[in-house]
């Protein structure tokens, strides 16, 4: 079976193409594979993984989809781009080599010269080259550093005032992703780049917890795997009617950045995402500055005291009734 990582694993396939089930499979770069059906059904779909190289379950999902496509067992009817974002970090067995790649999109890669900066710049070019059709979708697949009170959740990037889409919320719920975090400001994440620069429906999708290769219980990802395959293998995806009761919605309350060398979180490493703390509890200390819980219902997400100075060390979120969203 051909490698999906190009020169990082086995012989290089860069610049080659194969014919499988009335489609062309093109290898644009290491970990950049495009499936181009002879008669595309109208959607452009991007599945990305390994923006963080140690988040292995999404890598295995993408690998298995690609292997089934190349073996002729999965027939693709939608134009699909598979992006294994950071092959060097996969080989290294680390979250990244030098820099967190998910802080380097929307042009932020111009401010450095690490391998991640260079790769993010290329990835932006590949995505721009790929998107052609009016219906554009991007699911950036991750697993989280720690456990979560909601095992699977997705970040809905800032929409700049555009309404949220019932169809996408329903699709994610069918994937087993019933929790949505609304981002209320521009960011330098990969999913926001696709929203802002290419008007795609794009999401950062957290599917579980980080585990080493071979230690993922892939049955826990079965719903997502099934729906991703249906999305690209059917001309018109059939979804149930939108049901607000299926969804847990959270709004970002605060972003806490690390600005001091002696930054620390005031709770154990095994505290799960979406854990709620009492009002007044000190969540973190950034040098001499304490950060306390300010609102009832405020919860933590993505805590990481080891980020580089200047980067986000913690988000807090609050529940938001679905009825308060502008939906179409």
């Amino acid at each position: 079976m051909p490698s999906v990582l190009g020169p990082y694993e086995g012989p290089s396939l860069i610049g080659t193409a194969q014919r499988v089930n009335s489609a062309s499979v093109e290898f644009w770069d290491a970990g950049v594979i495009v499936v181009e059906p002879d008669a595309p059904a109208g959607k452009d779909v991007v599945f990305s993984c390994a923006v963080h190289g140690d988040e292995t379950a999404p890598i295995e999902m993408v690998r298995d989809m690609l292997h089934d496509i190349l073996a002729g067992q999965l027939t693709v009817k939608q134009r699909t781009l598979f992006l294994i974002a950071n092959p060097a970090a996969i080989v290294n067995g680390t979250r990244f080599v030098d820099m967190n790649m998910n802080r380097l999109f929307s042009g932020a890669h111009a401010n450095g010269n690490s391998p991640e900066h260079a790769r993010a710049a290329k990835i932006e070019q590949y995505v721009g080259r790929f998107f052609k059709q009016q219906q554009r979708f991007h699911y950036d697949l991750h697993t989280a550093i720690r456990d979560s009170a909601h095992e699977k959740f997705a970040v809905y990037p800032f929409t700049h005032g555009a309404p949220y889409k019932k169809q996408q919320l329903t699709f994610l719920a069918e994937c087993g992703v019933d929790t949505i975090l609304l981002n209320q400001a521009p960011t330098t994440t990969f999913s926001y780049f696709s929203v802002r620069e290419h008007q795609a429906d794009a999401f950062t999708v957290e599917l579980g917890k980080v585990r080493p290769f071979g230690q993922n219980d892939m049955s826990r990802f079965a719903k997502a795997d099934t729906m991703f395959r249906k999305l690209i293998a059917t001309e018109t995806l059939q979804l149930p009617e939108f049901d607000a009761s299926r969804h847990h919605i959270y709004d970002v309350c605060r972003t806490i950045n690390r600005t001091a060398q002696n930054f620390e979180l005031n709770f154990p490493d095994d505290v799960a995402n979406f854990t709620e703390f009492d009002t007044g509890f000190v969540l973190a200390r950034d040098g001499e500055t304490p950060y306390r819980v300010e609102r009832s219902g405020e919860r933590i997400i993505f805590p990481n005291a080891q980020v580089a100075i200047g980067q986000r060390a913690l988000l807090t979120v609050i529940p938001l009734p679905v009825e308060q969203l502008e939906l179409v």
Side-chain angles (χ1 to χ4, degrees):
M1 183 61 63
S3 161
V4 297
L5 296 182
Y8 290 93
E9 179 188 302
S12 175
L13 296 169
I14 295 173
T16 68
Q18 300 180 23
R19 293 286 304 169
V20 183
N21 285 349
S22 300
S24 174
V25 182
E26 303 172 6
F27 296 83
W28 286 1
D29 197 348
V32 183
I33 302 98
V34 174
V35 184
E36 183 84 47
D38 291 345
K43 298 183 180 76
D44 288 347
V45 182
V46 177
F47 293 120
S48 56
C49 66
V51 166
H52 299 132
D54 61 350
E55 297 177 4
T56 60
I59 301 168
E60 293 179 358
M61 289 177 65
V62 166
R63 175 203 64 194
D64 291 347
M65 279 195 284
L66 280 166
H67 284 186
D68 287 350
I69 291 167
L70 290 168
Q73 297 171 0
L74 176 61
T75 300
V76 176
K77 296 184 178 181
Q78 308 290 352
R79 296 183 68 247
T80 307
L81 168 62
F82 294 94
L83 262 171
I84 301 168
N86 198 341
I90 299 174
V91 173
N92 207 37
T94 54
R95 184 171 172 83
F96 48 81
V97 177
D98 288 309
M99 292 289 294
N100 181 354
M101 186 183 286
N102 216 23
R103 302 292 179 271
L104 299 179
F105 291 95
S106 296
H109 51 74
N111 299 321
N113 57 5
S114 75
E116 276 84 10
H117 285 85
R119 180 68 169 180
K122 286 186 177 181
I123 286 173
E124 287 190 356
Q125 294 172 9
Y126 294 138
V127 171
R129 174 181 169 188
F130 171 74
F131 277 136
K132 294 179 180 179
Q133 302 182 112
Q134 191 169 17
Q135 296 184 70
R136 302 175 179 184
F137 305 92
H138 178 192
Y139 303 97
D140 185 31
L141 309 179
H142 291 254
T143 49
I145 294 173
R146 61 179 64 211
D147 288 322
S148 176
H150 301 288
E151 182 184 46
K152 297 177 177 63
F153 61 96
V155 179
Y156 207 131
F158 185 45
T159 65
H160 293 268
Y164 301 102
K165 295 188 177 179
K166 294 179 181 178
Q167 185 181 59
Q168 284 301 295
L169 294 177
T170 300
F171 175 75
L172 289 168
E174 290 291 291
C175 291
V177 181
D178 64 356
T179 300
I180 304 295
L181 173 60
L182 307 178
N183 209 325
Q184 300 291 8
T187 66
T188 52
T189 63
F190 192 9
S191 59
Y192 174 75
F193 164 78
S194 290
V195 169
R196 188 58 172 165
E197 297 300 323
H198 298 289
Q199 297 73 55
D201 291 314
F203 302 86
T204 303
V205 184
E206 301 282 353
L207 292 170
K209 186 177 179 181
V210 170
R211 301 189 190 283
F213 281 114
Q215 295 185 26
N216 295 296
D217 178 1
M218 298 308 290
S219 68
R220 304 187 74 86
F221 308 95
K223 287 184 178 180
D225 183 66
T226 296
M227 291 306 297
F228 293 156
R229 289 168 181 257
K230 283 183 177 180
L231 177 63
I232 62 175
T234 58
E235 292 188 7
T236 303
L237 183 66
Q238 299 298 319
L239 294 171
E241 291 293 321
F242 175 75
D243 179 356
S245 68
R246 299 183 72 183
H247 308 283
H248 303 282
I249 308 295
Y250 290 88
D251 199 5
V252 171
C253 180
R254 284 188 294 162
T255 299
I256 297 173
N257 294 327
R258 180 186 181 188
T259 66
Q261 190 65 40
N262 55 333
F263 181 96
E264 61 180 5
L265 297 170
N266 194 34
F267 47 84
D269 290 342
D270 60 357
V271 171
N273 283 317
F274 296 101
T275 294
E276 182 178 353
F277 292 91
D278 293 335
T279 304
F281 179 83
V282 176
L283 293 170
R285 291 184 176 87
D286 185 35
E288 300 301 317
T289 303
Y291 288 95
R292 300 178 183 274
V293 175
E294 296 178 344
R295 301 174 60 175
S296 176
E298 197 170 358
R299 308 175 188 211
I300 62 159
I301 194 170
F302 298 137
N304 185 355
Q306 304 306 314
V307 297
I309 290 177
Q311 291 191 357
R312 183 195 72 204
L314 176 67
L315 279 179
T316 69
V317 299
I318 53 173
L320 185 70
V322 178
E323 293 73 20
Q324 292 187 18
L325 300 183
E326 182 183 356
L327 297 167
V328 293

